[in-house]
Amino acid sequence: MDQLNIKEQQEFQTIVEQKQMKDFMNLYSNLVSRCFDDCVNDFTSANLTTKENSCLAKCSEKFLKHSERIGQRFQEQKYVSTF
């Protein structure tokens, strides 16, 4: 990064931020799709059932913990590969 001038650093930062937003939106989209498909079964009511609410809470928590764990593993691998 030190070899880049200020304008190049700003452009690089913008690209990184855009990539992070895209990754977040993909994660969110996958979470919604997967948990909806797994948990929502009753389309006879506009409201979620207690069972569906519980399932969605557990599913989203599990999905986010899994994603966090994968991120940690990537960081560990990145750290190991630098040595």
Side-chain angles (χ1 to χ4, degrees):
M1 278 290 276
D2 292 336
Q3 295 90 5
L4 303 176
N5 66 39
I6 302 243
K7 184 177 183 211
E8 291 170 332
Q9 288 178 12
Q10 290 172 339
E11 289 172 356
F12 180 76
Q13 184 65 29
T14 300
I15 291 169
V16 168
E17 289 171 2
Q18 289 172 345
K19 170 112 174 73
Q20 288 174 333
M21 179 57 79
K22 183 179 177 184
D23 290 345
F24 170 77
M25 294 306 293
N26 282 333
L27 175 71
Y28 181 77
S29 178
N30 289 337
L31 165 73
V32 169
S33 178
R34 180 169 186 152
C35 292
F36 181 86
D37 290 345
D38 288 350
C39 296
V40 180
N41 303 309
D42 183 6
F43 296 97
T44 60
S45 170
N47 298 318
L48 295 171
T49 66
T50 303
K51 183 178 177 184
E52 289 170 332
N53 268 323
S54 175
C55 179
L56 287 168
K58 289 177 185 175
C59 179
S60 57
E61 182 179 351
K62 189 180 221 181
F63 189 93
L64 292 173
K65 282 183 179 180
H66 173 75
S67 296
E68 182 181 341
R69 179 105 169 139
I70 288 173
Q72 289 173 343
R73 290 291 181 223
F74 277 124
Q75 288 294 350
E76 290 169 6
Q77 291 300 319
K78 183 179 174 183
Y79 179 75
V80 168
S81 68
T82 58
F83 290 106

